[in-house]
Amino acid sequence: MKKAIFPGSFDPITLGHFDIIKRGVKLFDELIIAIGINADKKYMFSLDERKKFIEDCFKDEPKIKVVTYKGLTVHFCEKNNVDFILRGLRNPADFEFEKAIAHTNRDLAPIETVFLLTSANTSYISSSIVRDVIRNDGDYTKLVPKTVSVK
């Protein structure tokens, strides 16, 4: 069974994340969307809200599981028998950053990182851009799945 993890903070999940997940789930028997917990980070959405956005988004996809975790992604992988990390790449800067992390992860554990290029129509979207649009009362709904809502 090929299991992969798609880790991130998902604050909030974007259409870019959604695209990578929908395409990535076809490659694996199980795809775990893992929301990392970083006590030093200030989030716009609570952990429960972020998890619910994602669960609601993929409620009809039995191959997707949504979890939260603390610590190193490779430790999560080892504890959960996950052999692959799925990552999306938007641009060359993402590639350089993700390449360094992938090499480090492979040094720490026998984990392979699989990269998917984002679709052209979502390559400009990031969670930080979405948060900025929300903070400034813009129409964020064009950038996120329908399950994401601001109260």
Side-chain angles (χ1 to χ4, degrees):
M1 182 162 158
K2 287 191 281 186
K3 287 168 65 173
I5 179 177
F6 184 52
S9 58
F10 304 103
D11 188 33
I13 184 172
T14 69
L15 290 178
H17 295 129
F18 182 85
D19 173 62
I20 294 296
I21 294 164
K22 289 299 276 186
R23 291 170 40 224
V25 76
K26 296 174 187 172
L27 304 175
F28 302 100
D29 299 308
E30 180 178 76
L31 180 58
I32 301 166
I33 303 170
I35 306 168
I37 301 169
N38 182 343
D40 297 330
K41 227 174 171 184
K42 189 160 167 92
Y43 297 104
M44 177 174 274
F45 296 95
S46 73
L47 182 60
D48 288 338
E49 287 174 311
R50 290 180 279 146
K51 189 170 188 239
K52 183 164 176 29
F53 293 157
I54 299 167
E55 287 172 338
D56 289 351
C57 216
F58 297 103
K59 67 180 184 279
D60 297 325
E61 178 50 73
K63 289 171 54 175
I64 291 178
K65 185 164 102 176
V66 184
V67 301
T68 62
Y69 76 105
K70 287 183 182 176
L72 292 176
T73 302
V74 292
H75 290 164
F76 176 92
C77 291
E78 289 175 322
K79 288 177 194 163
N80 294 278
N81 298 314
V82 175
D83 294 317
F84 301 94
I85 298 172
L86 176 64
R87 299 298 293 160
L89 299 174
R90 293 174 297 193
N91 54 47
D94 278 358
F95 173 73
E96 289 302 325
F97 178 75
E98 294 291 345
K99 180 177 76 164
I101 293 171
H103 285 309
T104 303
N105 286 339
R106 200 169 332 125
D107 278 349
L108 296 173
I111 307 292
E112 284 296 333
T113 301
V114 176
F115 297 110
L116 290 180
L117 297 178
T118 56
S119 296
N121 62 334
T122 63
S123 64
Y124 65 95
I125 303 172
S126 70
S127 291
S128 57
I129 287 173
V130 172
R131 290 191 304 272
D132 198 40
V133 169
I134 291 169
R135 272 197 246 10
N136 291 288
D137 298 318
D139 183 5
Y140 67 93
T141 62
K142 299 174 181 179
L143 307 170
V144 297
K146 291 179 183 5
T147 59
V148 176
S149 64
V150 176
K151 297 173 186 167

